[in-house]
Amino acid sequence: MHQSIAPLVVIAGETASGKSALALDVAERFGGELICADSWTVYKGFDVGTAKPSIEERRRVPHHLLDIADPEKGYSAAEFQKRAFAAIEGIAARGRLPVLVGGTGLYIDSVLFNYQFLPAPPAWLRGQLSELSLEELQQKAHDEGLDTTGIDLRNKRRIIRLIENNGLRPTKHPLRDNTLMLGIQAGQDQLHGRVERRVDAMLAAGLELEVRSLAGQYGWDAEPMKGIGYHEWRRYFEGNQSRIQTRDRIVAATLGLAKRQRTWFKRNKSIQWLPAVDAPELAVLAVTTFLENDVH
RNA sequence: GCAGGGAUAGUGAAGCGGUCAAACACGGGUGACUGUAAAUCAUCUGGCUCAGCCUUCGGGGGUUCGAAUCCCUCUCCCUGCA
């Protein structure tokens, strides 16, 4: 009955769903440590706009994989996966419970399904391919005799990846064993209000200042500067957009993100969805059951 | 009161006799997604018993084979003159 693979609790959910608070709660109660599966909180210095867990929260429960990426270099799901695996092993080795929380579906799935990423492309190649138009990329893929079945030929990035990989396709494994997947089902009707409150809180917490400083430090082309809550300020700083408009754009973009996150997680049929209202109680119940069945 | 301009789908805004259920933008829905993923991309968005049918372009009435597009009139809004 003993399982060789470490137990893992996953808490997924759209932005502003309350998953971070829930994860904190679960971790505290079960002696867990959090691994943040978030493509934006990995960056150093991007704090307010990413709603990064506070110092105080990090004191309550150890958080892993925050502030590990250099904004100038960018980051990738493959790098995240490596560190997440290592973090899970480390936490389990200390006899604690690893809890993977986040809203970046790709990052989470890379761990859950042990995605086999293909080698990173040389920077020069990507740069070169990015210059090409969609039609040129399609032509190039065709000329190189690459199999394009299943590839979204209208999406430049997908074709670029295909060419970079020289036609090879990545693979994945079945769902990881010994894993409990929970999702927060936040009321859609209240999402808008929650997002607005969250953005307003960021504004009050000094988002403008943070963005101004980061933009000065890294420039608008740095990867994380393209994120929601950051790039919207560019026009504002240039004097072409009011603060209110900026705020509204951030809200709208966040809502769009939430939708994409929902779509991503929806297709994972193994997730147990917990209604946000009584998520804490249900989560405790689910984790308790999970751990009982797991240990011996 | 007189002269002129305007009223178009959730919003903004094209159209100015047929090819208009009506461009485009935004907003909204749905979906894809493996080294950029808070990214990138697709798709739907008047109604229905949905390869067809029905009701729309401020209201009403005309002209015409045919009108969102022309004429008359009513209502409301803006501008100039009083």
Side-chain angles (χ1 to χ4, degrees):
Chain A
M1 283 298 282
H2 180 72
Q3 310 205 29
S4 56
I5 188 165
L8 174 69
V9 171
V10 178
I11 297 179
E14 63 196 28
T15 187
S17 63
K19 59 184 179 312
S20 302
L22 179 68
L24 214 55
D25 198 47
V26 167
E28 262 187 332
R29 205 177 285 246
F30 294 94
E33 298 188 15
L34 301 180
I35 300 165
C36 301
D38 185 306
S39 63
W40 242 250
T41 55
V42 292
Y43 289 107
K44 285 182 205 126
F46 288 69
D47 304 333
V48 177
T50 62
K52 196 177 280 177
S54 67
I55 302 295
E56 200 250 332
E57 289 168 324
R58 296 194 224 178
R59 261 191 212 121
R60 276 170 60 193
V61 172
H63 285 62
H64 297 82
L65 305 195
L66 292 177
D67 304 321
I68 54 170
D70 177 348
E72 285 182 310
K73 296 208 178 98
Y75 205 63
S76 75
E79 292 172 80
F80 173 84
Q81 185 198 37
K82 252 177 245 156
R83 299 197 59 157
F85 281 148
I88 290 170
E89 291 315 309
I91 294 167
R94 288 193 298 276
R96 314 253 304 160
L97 176 67
V99 178
L100 184 67
V101 220
T104 303
L106 178 65
Y107 284 17
I108 290 179
D109 281 2
S110 75
V111 171
L112 294 184
F113 299 99
N114 191 191
Y115 279 1
Q116 301 298 292
F117 289 102
L118 292 164
W124 62 266
L125 179 58
R126 172 160 295 180
Q128 197 175 302
L129 293 174
S130 301
E131 298 297 309
L132 301 179
S133 70
L134 179 64
E135 292 68 32
E136 289 170 324
L137 285 166
Q138 291 171 339
Q139 186 61 46
K140 188 170 175 60
H142 178 77
D143 290 346
E144 296 185 3
L146 304 179
D147 177 12
T148 57
T149 52
I151 296 292
D152 180 355
L153 289 172
R154 283 180 288 195
N155 190 334
K156 276 183 80 170
R157 294 201 172 176
R158 297 277 131 70
I159 307 181
I160 289 177
R161 274 310 284 157
L162 182 73
I163 296 173
E164 285 174 348
N165 295 332
N166 201 21
L168 287 177
R169 303 295 180 84
T171 56
K172 73 171 181 179
H173 294 263
L175 178 63
R176 183 185 194 284
D177 280 334
N178 209 12
T179 304
L180 173 68
M181 281 174 285
L182 303 176
I184 297 202
Q185 196 145 49
Q188 275 257 58
D189 44 330
Q190 293 154 26
L191 179 65
H192 194 102
R194 282 202 314 277
V195 168
E196 284 193 313
R197 257 175 276 133
R198 186 168 133 119
V199 172
D200 288 338
M202 287 178 181
L203 253 31
L207 180 60
E208 179 177 343
L209 214 65
E210 172 171 294
V211 180
R212 195 181 289 280
S213 143
L214 290 169
Q217 195 174 350
Y218 302 111
W220 292 106
D221 292 332
E223 197 54 39
M225 288 306 291
K226 297 174 186 167
I228 294 170
Y230 292 93
H231 75 263
E232 290 88 352
W233 291 92
R234 186 170 186 168
R235 300 193 58 194
Y236 170 73
F237 291 151
E238 290 168 352
N240 298 318
Q241 185 173 273
S242 72
R243 193 175 151 95
I244 300 299
Q245 287 175 314
T246 304
R247 178 259 191 198
D248 289 346
R249 278 175 182 279
I250 295 174
V251 169
T254 304
L255 254 16
L257 166 65
K259 160 60 187 153
R260 269 170 280 134
Q261 291 174 310
R262 233 176 293 135
T263 301
W264 181 288
F265 292 127
K266 200 185 289 177
R267 68 178 171 176
N268 183 338
K269 301 304 179 200
S270 307
I271 294 178
Q272 290 179 38
W273 290 100
L274 315 177
V277 265
D278 27 39
E281 297 77 51
L282 293 173
V284 168
L285 212 67
V287 175
T288 303
T289 310
F290 170 66
L291 293 177
E292 276 169 2
N293 292 337
D294 165 58
V295 182
H296 339 300

